[in-house]
Amino acid sequence: MTRSPLTRTALATLVAAGLLAASGCGLSGGGAGAEEARRTGEVSGAITFRTLQLKPKFTAYVQGVIDAFEAEHPAVKVKWEDVPGDGYNEKLVADAQAGALPDVVNLSTDSFQLLGDRGMLADVARLDGAVAAEYVPGAWEQFKLPGKGDGVYAYPWYVTPEILTYNKDLLAKAGLDPDRPPTTVEQFFDYAERIAARSGGQYAAFMADPKGRLPGDWQKMGVPLLNAGRDRFAFDTDRAVAWVERMKDLYAKGAMPRESLLKADDINQLYGAGKLVFGPGSPGFVRDIRQNAPQVYARTGVAGAVTGTLGHIGIYAQSLGIRKDTRHPDAAAEFAKWVTNGPNQVEFSRNATIYPSNAKGLADPRFADRGDGQDAETLARAIGAEQLKTADLDANTPVQWTNQVGDAVVREVQRAIQGEQDARTAVRRAQEEANRLLAAGTRR
């Protein structure tokens, strides 16, 4: 499913170029200044439910969930609209300005921050205080907002945690133990150096792709992206410089395909051809490899995500927000809880490589089954679920890290990795440009 919200790749595509402009255009129209709706105890009314690119693959599933809700609550009528991924955030901004946000709206991480930061979403912790216990704590905490106390501004929906995927045979050829994969960013780089030294150029450790690694690696290493006031970038630190220097050294030693620094190669194809040790950190990737490269799938190992000094993992999360001034808060809240309840999320997971944010859903035996310990997809599902239950989840990439900022940072980092400038200069210049872009967006 191209550019589906059900893949981590979609996260990058949804950080649309318009986000920076949107962050400064002001969402004063719509519900930003409106009084927040209060529940009355009457679950009734016509509500609108917007999803992000779930048709046609998941039409039967979503419609089934809606039909069951309406049967349970006959005084409620749900109008479902599904919107393509391209331009989704821009459409949200336009609807917000026009006062036309749906009552219940599917939000990516970026969409959530875009609307939440500007006061467009209802505080669901206030709307329904007892509901927190129904969700995995880390997922519930994802939808708090800096500076807004204990408020939670969306119901967690489906989530995808980061894991580690690797070719066991290639790891062994490099003299590394396939049963002891790397666990930290720093160890990951140590393994890559060993692989480069032993592979003789026959295979590489991982894709260079700084855009794919930043800002995740920095967050895991404890590099602050923003200052305390969240109004300036603050990643110009010794740790960030050390990361760039290490990438430069590994690139020179052949740990990464040289062409992967400047263009986006098909990582699935390279991994499937046995040219890469470490694949993407996505459970969905394991299913793709099983279907497209069964000979490599048989040699694929999976493990918990590489972390860092903070012990965080990356997580891709979808949520359901409630329009702050919805006319039917009881119906909207009950419907959002219905969509995100345990049974409905488990059923969804049978149709897609996703995990429930609902605690009862995640406790389903499906997510604890490791099979015989040999099948990578089964193991990936269990490992991902274990991480969701126990790990501290990575902080969201701040909305200030737009596509423009990411591109600006990567340009400077690429020059350093190629030896065209030193690492400290690259990080300093990257931060200067990032802050210039941030200030320009704020002035609009």
Side-chain angles (χ1 to χ4, degrees):
M1 185 166 46
T2 305
R3 302 189 77 177
S4 162
L6 300 179
T7 68
R8 191 171 180 81
T9 304
L11 181 60
T13 64
L14 287 172
V15 182
L19 257 181
L20 186 61
S23 69
C25 70
L27 299 179
S28 55
E35 186 176 347
E36 185 162 343
R38 301 294 182 94
R39 298 189 67 163
T40 64
E42 184 178 348
V43 183
S44 63
I47 59 173
T48 304
F49 173 41
R50 179 181 294 172
T51 56
L52 173 56
Q53 201 169 313
L54 294 185
K55 289 182 177 179
K57 186 169 183 178
F58 302 103
T59 297
Y61 166 74
V62 175
Q63 191 58 57
V65 170
I66 292 171
D67 292 345
F69 179 78
E70 289 180 337
E72 186 84 6
H73 300 280
V76 179
K77 186 66 179 176
V78 180
K79 179 183 178 183
W80 175 29
E81 57 182 48
D82 188 70
V83 177
D86 288 339
Y88 190 69
N89 285 331
E90 289 83 348
K91 179 169 176 55
L92 286 176
V93 170
D95 287 345
Q97 289 175 319
L101 276 179
D103 299 283
V104 181
V105 58
N106 181 179
L107 301 170
S108 69
T109 302
D110 310 300
S111 306
F112 164 73
Q113 290 181 308
L114 184 65
L115 296 185
D117 282 348
R118 288 151 185 82
M120 308 300 295
L121 300 174
D123 178 354
V124 301
R126 181 178 179 183
L127 206 60
D128 195 346
V131 74
E134 297 184 16
Y135 299 94
V136 176
W140 181 253
E141 296 290 323
Q142 283 270 304
F143 300 104
K144 291 185 175 179
L145 290 165
K148 295 198 175 183
D150 292 329
V152 176
Y153 293 88
Y155 292 91
W157 198 8
Y158 57 88
V159 295
T160 305
E162 179 186 4
I163 62 170
L164 182 69
T165 62
Y166 57 97
N167 185 313
K168 293 185 288 187
D169 284 2
L170 295 183
L171 210 57
K173 282 184 180 178
L176 296 162
D177 185 349
D179 294 325
R180 301 181 64 184
T183 59
T184 67
V185 174
E186 294 82 359
Q187 194 179 33
F188 181 85
F189 285 162
D190 291 343
Y191 274 48
E193 186 165 355
R194 178 73 171 268
I195 290 165
R198 296 287 292 271
S199 71
Q202 298 298 306
Y203 52 92
F206 66 101
M207 303 290 275
D209 184 23
K211 189 170 186 177
R213 303 196 67 84
L214 293 178
D217 273 9
W218 286 358
Q219 288 177 294
K220 289 177 178 178
M221 296 168 66
V223 175
L225 297 187
L226 294 165
N227 64 3
R230 300 180 68 80
D231 60 355
R232 299 277 295 174
F233 285 103
F235 55 75
D236 184 2
T237 63
D238 288 346
R239 286 183 180 179
V241 171
W243 183 92
V244 177
E245 288 176 337
R246 194 74 194 276
M247 285 285 286
K248 175 185 176 183
D249 182 58
L250 290 171
Y251 184 70
K253 290 176 177 175
M256 302 162 249
R258 297 196 68 79
E259 63 275 13
S260 69
L261 179 63
L262 299 175
K263 66 176 184 178
D265 286 326
D266 187 338
I267 187 171
N268 288 25
Q269 189 175 38
L270 278 176
Y271 184 89
K275 300 291 186 183
L276 208 59
V277 174
F278 296 107
S282 161
F285 165 74
V286 180
R287 175 175 290 186
D288 290 343
I289 287 297
R290 187 187 69 178
Q291 294 172 344
N292 300 324
Q295 72 284 4
V296 174
Y297 176 76
R299 304 197 292 270
T300 293
V302 295
V306 166
T307 63
T309 55
L310 301 181
H312 290 182
I313 65 168
I315 178 174
Y316 175 51
Q318 291 279 327
S319 62
L320 295 182
I322 304 294
R323 175 179 167 153
K324 179 181 176 182
D325 59 346
T326 175
R327 294 175 57 196
H328 306 291
D330 296 82
E334 290 303 316
F335 180 69
K337 282 197 298 182
W338 178 270
V339 175
T340 61
N341 71 26
N344 281 331
Q345 290 207 43
V346 171
E347 183 60 25
F348 200 6
S349 76
R350 298 185 189 282
N351 298 286
T353 309
I354 55 98
Y355 295 74
S357 61
N358 185 284
K360 289 182 180 177
L362 198 60
D364 188 278
R366 168 179 171 76
F367 297 100
D369 180 16
R370 285 178 167 253
D372 62 2
Q374 301 301 311
D375 179 64
E377 187 176 358
T378 305
L379 275 175
R381 183 166 56 239
I383 289 170
E386 288 168 8
Q387 292 190 144
L388 283 173
K389 291 176 183 173
T390 60
D392 288 329
L393 305 182
D394 200 2
N396 290 332
T397 299
V399 70
Q400 291 89 340
W401 189 279
T402 61
N403 266 2
Q404 293 97 325
V405 169
D407 288 344
V409 172
V410 165
R411 276 196 297 273
E412 297 300 334
V413 167
Q414 284 173 330
R415 291 185 62 199
I417 293 174
Q418 290 178 295
E420 296 176 358
Q421 67 180 340
D422 65 85
R424 191 164 294 280
T425 299
V427 173
R428 175 179 54 78
R429 293 181 61 168
Q431 180 169 293
E432 289 172 352
E433 181 61 10
N435 278 324
R436 188 192 68 76
L437 289 167
L438 181 61
T442 304
R443 286 195 297 269
R444 290 176 192 170

